[in-house]
Amino acid sequence: MRIMTRVAAAAALATLPFAAGAAEGGLPDKMTWTAYGTTASGYAQSVAVGDALNKAYGVKMRVIPGKNDVSRMAPLRDGQADYCACGAAAYFGQEAAFLFASEEWGPQPLRVVMTAIGKNNLALATAKDAGIETMADLKGKRVSWVVAGDALNWNAAANMAFAGLTWDDVEKVEVSGFKASIDAIINGQSDAAFMSTVTPHAQRLAASPRGLHWAAPAA
């Protein structure tokens, strides 16, 4: 979880506490967040925040899991969620960039209200048996590409750029969501995917017959 965003329209901010009731500390008694899928670290972090808010202020929080950027951002845009535990998709939505570059999607009036700072990292994980020691070794390899998941895909592209590579230099393996991007590696359909170093999916990959290797930027 890198960025949490909230609709910035004044009407929404003003009516939320009165429509939902008020908990201790002036917080609404109910909140709805969107986050990554139920097996992702972002979802676990969101649930943990909700548990802390409930214990301290009596706030009841619902977390809606989403496979990709669109499924996490749509409830926020449509007023069905108050917050999105999103990644770079929040910036893309605010700037109407990439898949949000349409009248339907952007620019969205988003505001960052909280950021997560941890000791984990975000990187391109590879199957240990794929022989990918550095980013240069990705040339011609299979890399998971999440449909409607620009935040993940552009981060993967940024890693490949260390070796002067682009998506044109690898075999793009289209998958439906974040979990599916790692499943593709475990199932032998892909060789690499972008993920957090602390996500449970990294542990799943490490425990699989293919193993896990974090490719170095350069030799």
Side-chain angles (χ1 to χ4, degrees):
M1 179 178 62
R2 299 298 298 175
I3 303 173
M4 299 177 190
T5 62
R6 184 172 194 168
V7 176
L13 290 174
T15 59
L16 180 60
F18 298 100
E24 185 181 345
L27 294 171
D29 62 359
K30 294 181 181 179
M31 289 186 189
T32 300
W33 287 23
T34 63
Y36 277 79
T38 56
T39 54
S41 58
Y43 182 87
Q45 289 170 345
S46 299
V47 170
V49 171
D51 184 61
L53 289 173
N54 180 257
K55 290 178 178 177
Y57 303 106
V59 175
K60 295 180 180 179
M61 196 174 95
R62 176 192 178 199
V63 182
I64 303 173
K67 294 193 298 184
N68 54 41
D69 296 341
V70 170
S71 60
R72 288 186 293 275
M73 294 282 285
L76 187 67
R77 178 198 62 184
D78 298 339
Q80 298 172 352
D82 308 304
Y83 296 87
C84 173
C86 296
Y91 175 77
F92 295 159
Q94 179 181 319
E95 299 298 317
F98 305 118
L99 67 89
F100 299 110
S102 67
E103 185 175 347
E104 175 188 8
W105 267 109
Q108 294 290 318
L110 305 176
R111 297 293 183 272
V112 175
V113 297
M114 189 188 306
T115 59
I117 301 175
K119 295 182 179 180
N120 63 299
N121 201 349
L122 295 162
L124 198 61
T126 71
K128 191 173 183 179
D129 65 6
I132 303 170
E133 295 299 322
T134 71
M135 295 300 170
D137 298 323
L138 283 164
K139 188 170 184 178
K141 298 291 186 178
R142 301 166 299 176
V143 181
S144 297
W145 189 89
V146 180
V147 175
D150 279 349
L152 294 169
N153 300 333
W154 280 97
N155 273 301
N159 277 258
M160 291 188 284
F162 276 100
L165 302 178
T166 70
W167 281 106
D168 292 333
D169 299 304
V170 299
E171 182 181 339
K172 184 188 295 184
V173 179
E174 293 192 7
V175 295
S176 61
F178 172 61
K179 179 179 180 295
S181 71
I182 292 87
D183 288 342
I185 302 177
I186 295 173
N187 296 333
Q189 300 164 318
S190 177
D191 299 311
F194 185 81
M195 68 182 80
S196 165
T197 55
V198 297
T199 178
H201 295 297
Q203 299 174 21
R204 287 179 56 227
L205 178 56
S208 76
R210 300 203 69 191
L212 167 64
H213 175 70
W214 300 102

